[in-house]
Amino acid sequence: MAEAPQLPASREPRILVVGPSWVGDMVMAQSLFKTLKARQPGSRITVVAPAWSRPILERMDEVDEVASLEVGHGQFGLATRRHLARSLQGRFDHAIVLPRSWKSALVPFLARIPRRTGFTGEQRLWLLNDRRRLDKAVLDQTVKRFVALGLSAQEATRGDFPIPRPRLRLDTENLVERRVELGLSSRPAIGMMPGAEYGPAKQWPLAYFRELARSLVVEGFEVRVLGGPKDVEAGEVIADALPHTHNLCGRTRLADAVDLLGDCQQVVTNDSGLMHVAAAVGTRVQAIYGSSSPAYTPPLTENAEVHYLALDCSPCFQRTCPLGHTNCLNQLMPERILQAMLRS
């Protein structure tokens, strides 16, 4: 392993973090930011991140600056990365690269940041000079891997370090405006998030969401279906002609979703980015797992109940069920979720 330059002892550290490209991962990255601030008081943290993630990062007290990287998901964008690196040059002592791709390590290298920390992989030997070996048995959760990069190599290998929980700020003025604009009622609210970017093997059946929504309305709740533009049709399947049920998919910004979720009593959600947002605003989470594992990407809150059947074929981590039946989700019935919610 290369010897990494040490930070100057005479000033507060300036840290650049190259953030992940998914909503849930960006929320979990706050555990790293909290760790850095606790261990290096007075440090300033700048996060290189896709422009869409700015509303999430702006709700984190630990983030001092966001450096937007205007590159589409999966694109290389060398000229864009060079331009950003030039704007960052000379400003930082330490860079931490969370993604494990080669291109994600380019900006800190091109910006000539003295110490560049990240996991070894994708031929990044000359881009990083504080390289860490990823022991998946020890660092068995995404959030542990993020936090480990903010620790010494010796501490990280033990795997028993504390994981601060993410916590996003709420904007009450924005919440009031959105509630009026969207025509929401004064009934206690339940959030439903039927989407999952990874694929259908992580998505509880829409018919089950609708059945649960109908039961919750009878119990006196308002149901808010939340998601992006891709989830509009799914939201309509759930909300169509159901009283007190609102399809808000594609009608809210990410910042609005943060506030609307914080206003819910509980949420019912697949393993998705919005699940992690709901956990980070303190709302009770009913988390449904199919092809993924609650041991690997759990909601980072004590205020959650996980619904996972743990079939012999689970978790397969596939986008679609390789056996063609998706029993890990189809056999998880709405009545089970309803009873869990009414007990909470």
mmCIF file of all heavy atoms in Angstrom, residues 108-125:
data_model
loop_
_atom_site.group_PDB
_atom_site.id
_atom_site.type_symbol
_atom_site.label_atom_id
_atom_site.label_comp_id
_atom_site.label_asym_id
_atom_site.label_seq_id
_atom_site.Cartn_x
_atom_site.Cartn_y
_atom_site.Cartn_z
ATOM 1 N N PRO A 108 -10.459 13.773 -7.875
ATOM 2 C CA PRO A 108 -9.432 14.056 -6.859
ATOM 3 C C PRO A 108 -8.009 13.950 -7.401
ATOM 4 O O PRO A 108 -7.131 14.733 -7.012
ATOM 5 C CB PRO A 108 -9.691 12.991 -5.785
ATOM 6 C CG PRO A 108 -11.114 12.605 -5.968
ATOM 7 C CD PRO A 108 -11.361 12.693 -7.448
ATOM 8 N N PHE A 109 -7.781 12.993 -8.315
ATOM 9 C CA PHE A 109 -6.438 12.846 -8.901
ATOM 10 C C PHE A 109 -6.089 14.056 -9.750
ATOM 11 O O PHE A 109 -5.002 14.636 -9.613
ATOM 12 C CB PHE A 109 -6.381 11.568 -9.739
ATOM 13 C CG PHE A 109 -5.084 11.393 -10.469
ATOM 14 C CD1 PHE A 109 -3.953 10.933 -9.814
ATOM 15 C CD2 PHE A 109 -4.996 11.695 -11.827
ATOM 16 C CE1 PHE A 109 -2.748 10.777 -10.480
ATOM 17 C CE2 PHE A 109 -3.787 11.541 -12.511
ATOM 18 C CZ PHE A 109 -2.664 11.089 -11.831
ATOM 19 N N LEU A 110 -7.013 14.448 -10.624
ATOM 20 C CA LEU A 110 -6.752 15.593 -11.494
ATOM 21 C C LEU A 110 -6.665 16.899 -10.706
ATOM 22 O O LEU A 110 -5.993 17.841 -11.131
ATOM 23 C CB LEU A 110 -7.846 15.689 -12.564
ATOM 24 C CG LEU A 110 -7.901 14.532 -13.569
ATOM 25 C CD1 LEU A 110 -9.143 14.647 -14.458
ATOM 26 C CD2 LEU A 110 -6.635 14.494 -14.421
ATOM 27 N N ALA A 111 -7.335 16.959 -9.564
ATOM 28 C CA ALA A 111 -7.268 18.150 -8.707
ATOM 29 C C ALA A 111 -6.011 18.154 -7.837
ATOM 30 O O ALA A 111 -5.784 19.102 -7.079
ATOM 31 C CB ALA A 111 -8.503 18.228 -7.819
ATOM 32 N N ARG A 112 -5.200 17.110 -7.925
ATOM 33 C CA ARG A 112 -3.926 16.993 -7.208
ATOM 34 C C ARG A 112 -4.100 17.089 -5.691
ATOM 35 O O ARG A 112 -3.296 17.712 -4.993
ATOM 36 C CB ARG A 112 -2.927 18.052 -7.707
ATOM 37 C CG ARG A 112 -2.639 17.953 -9.200
ATOM 38 C CD ARG A 112 -1.698 19.032 -9.657
ATOM 39 N NE ARG A 112 -1.498 18.987 -11.101
ATOM 40 C CZ ARG A 112 -0.771 19.874 -11.799
ATOM 41 N NH1 ARG A 112 -0.178 20.866 -11.159
ATOM 42 N NH2 ARG A 112 -0.654 19.760 -13.101
ATOM 43 N N ILE A 113 -5.144 16.461 -5.208
ATOM 44 C CA ILE A 113 -5.368 16.434 -3.762
ATOM 45 C C ILE A 113 -4.338 15.487 -3.140
ATOM 46 O O ILE A 113 -4.182 14.350 -3.604
ATOM 47 C CB ILE A 113 -6.807 16.010 -3.459
ATOM 48 C CG1 ILE A 113 -7.783 17.062 -4.026
ATOM 49 C CG2 ILE A 113 -7.027 15.833 -1.960
ATOM 50 C CD1 ILE A 113 -9.236 16.692 -3.930
ATOM 51 N N PRO A 114 -3.610 15.931 -2.118
ATOM 52 C CA PRO A 114 -2.460 15.144 -1.628
ATOM 53 C C PRO A 114 -2.791 13.739 -1.168
ATOM 54 O O PRO A 114 -2.056 12.794 -1.471
ATOM 55 C CB PRO A 114 -1.934 15.997 -0.462
ATOM 56 C CG PRO A 114 -2.423 17.378 -0.739
ATOM 57 C CD PRO A 114 -3.735 17.222 -1.440
ATOM 58 N N ARG A 115 -3.871 13.585 -0.404
ATOM 59 C CA ARG A 115 -4.221 12.263 0.107
ATOM 60 C C ARG A 115 -5.553 11.844 -0.499
ATOM 61 O O ARG A 115 -6.547 12.551 -0.392
ATOM 62 C CB ARG A 115 -4.319 12.300 1.635
ATOM 63 C CG ARG A 115 -4.664 10.956 2.270
ATOM 64 C CD ARG A 115 -4.809 11.112 3.766
ATOM 65 N NE ARG A 115 -5.214 9.861 4.398
ATOM 66 C CZ ARG A 115 -5.737 9.786 5.621
ATOM 67 N NH1 ARG A 115 -5.906 10.898 6.329
ATOM 68 N NH2 ARG A 115 -6.079 8.619 6.126
ATOM 69 N N ARG A 116 -5.577 10.647 -1.123
ATOM 70 C CA ARG A 116 -6.775 10.194 -1.836
ATOM 71 C C ARG A 116 -7.094 8.765 -1.383
ATOM 72 O O ARG A 116 -6.359 7.823 -1.692
ATOM 73 C CB ARG A 116 -6.544 10.255 -3.348
ATOM 74 C CG ARG A 116 -6.153 11.652 -3.829
ATOM 75 C CD ARG A 116 -5.954 11.717 -5.333
ATOM 76 N NE ARG A 116 -4.897 10.850 -5.817
ATOM 77 C CZ ARG A 116 -3.599 11.155 -5.802
ATOM 78 N NH1 ARG A 116 -3.187 12.321 -5.299
ATOM 79 N NH2 ARG A 116 -2.697 10.310 -6.269
ATOM 80 N N THR A 117 -8.196 8.628 -0.647
ATOM 81 C CA THR A 117 -8.559 7.373 0.009
ATOM 82 C C THR A 117 -9.703 6.694 -0.723
ATOM 83 O O THR A 117 -10.688 7.343 -1.106
ATOM 84 C CB THR A 117 -8.987 7.645 1.470
ATOM 85 O OG1 THR A 117 -7.919 8.293 2.167
ATOM 86 C CG2 THR A 117 -9.362 6.357 2.178
ATOM 87 N N GLY A 118 -9.595 5.394 -0.891
ATOM 88 C CA GLY A 118 -10.670 4.625 -1.494
ATOM 89 C C GLY A 118 -10.318 3.153 -1.510
ATOM 90 O O GLY A 118 -9.180 2.764 -1.209
ATOM 91 N N PHE A 119 -11.309 2.326 -1.839
ATOM 92 C CA PHE A 119 -11.055 0.892 -1.933
ATOM 93 C C PHE A 119 -10.346 0.568 -3.236
ATOM 94 O O PHE A 119 -10.626 1.146 -4.285
ATOM 95 C CB PHE A 119 -12.367 0.110 -1.848
ATOM 96 C CG PHE A 119 -13.010 0.146 -0.494
ATOM 97 C CD1 PHE A 119 -14.226 0.777 -0.306
ATOM 98 C CD2 PHE A 119 -12.383 -0.448 0.594
ATOM 99 C CE1 PHE A 119 -14.816 0.817 0.943
ATOM 100 C CE2 PHE A 119 -12.965 -0.413 1.854
ATOM 101 C CZ PHE A 119 -14.179 0.225 2.034
ATOM 102 N N THR A 120 -9.437 -0.398 -3.159
ATOM 103 C CA THR A 120 -8.736 -0.865 -4.352
ATOM 104 C C THR A 120 -9.733 -1.535 -5.298
ATOM 105 O O THR A 120 -10.600 -2.285 -4.864
ATOM 106 C CB THR A 120 -7.644 -1.869 -3.974
ATOM 107 O OG1 THR A 120 -6.723 -1.225 -3.085
ATOM 108 C CG2 THR A 120 -6.904 -2.378 -5.193
ATOM 109 N N GLY A 121 -9.595 -1.246 -6.569
ATOM 110 C CA GLY A 121 -10.487 -1.855 -7.565
ATOM 111 C C GLY A 121 -10.440 -1.095 -8.864
ATOM 112 O O GLY A 121 -10.030 0.070 -8.913
ATOM 113 N N GLU A 122 -10.819 -1.763 -9.952
ATOM 114 C CA GLU A 122 -10.884 -1.181 -11.291
ATOM 115 C C GLU A 122 -9.588 -0.467 -11.677
ATOM 116 O O GLU A 122 -9.600 0.627 -12.246
ATOM 117 C CB GLU A 122 -12.077 -0.216 -11.418
ATOM 118 C CG GLU A 122 -13.393 -0.931 -11.632
ATOM 119 C CD GLU A 122 -14.433 -0.073 -12.342
ATOM 120 O OE1 GLU A 122 -14.106 1.040 -12.813
ATOM 121 O OE2 GLU A 122 -15.578 -0.532 -12.433
ATOM 122 N N GLN A 123 -8.459 -1.065 -11.340
ATOM 123 C CA GLN A 123 -7.153 -0.533 -11.757
ATOM 124 C C GLN A 123 -6.939 0.909 -11.306
ATOM 125 O O GLN A 123 -6.425 1.743 -12.052
ATOM 126 C CB GLN A 123 -7.010 -0.638 -13.286
ATOM 127 C CG GLN A 123 -7.214 -2.022 -13.850
ATOM 128 C CD GLN A 123 -6.229 -3.036 -13.279
ATOM 129 O OE1 GLN A 123 -5.048 -2.743 -13.177
ATOM 130 N NE2 GLN A 123 -6.721 -4.201 -12.893
ATOM 131 N N ARG A 124 -7.299 1.202 -10.039
ATOM 132 C CA ARG A 124 -7.169 2.574 -9.538
ATOM 133 C C ARG A 124 -5.851 2.798 -8.796
ATOM 134 O O ARG A 124 -5.713 3.772 -8.057
ATOM 135 C CB ARG A 124 -8.337 2.899 -8.601
ATOM 136 C CG ARG A 124 -9.689 2.694 -9.247
ATOM 137 C CD ARG A 124 -10.805 3.401 -8.523
ATOM 138 N NE ARG A 124 -11.037 2.956 -7.156
ATOM 139 C CZ ARG A 124 -12.007 3.452 -6.375
ATOM 140 N NH1 ARG A 124 -12.785 4.406 -6.834
ATOM 141 N NH2 ARG A 124 -12.169 3.003 -5.153
ATOM 142 N N LEU A 125 -4.871 1.918 -8.990
ATOM 143 C CA LEU A 125 -3.643 1.954 -8.200
ATOM 144 C C LEU A 125 -2.950 3.305 -8.259
ATOM 145 O O LEU A 125 -2.403 3.784 -7.271
ATOM 146 C CB LEU A 125 -2.690 0.848 -8.657
ATOM 147 C CG LEU A 125 -3.184 -0.593 -8.442
ATOM 148 C CD1 LEU A 125 -2.140 -1.583 -8.937
ATOM 149 C CD2 LEU A 125 -3.492 -0.839 -6.971
#
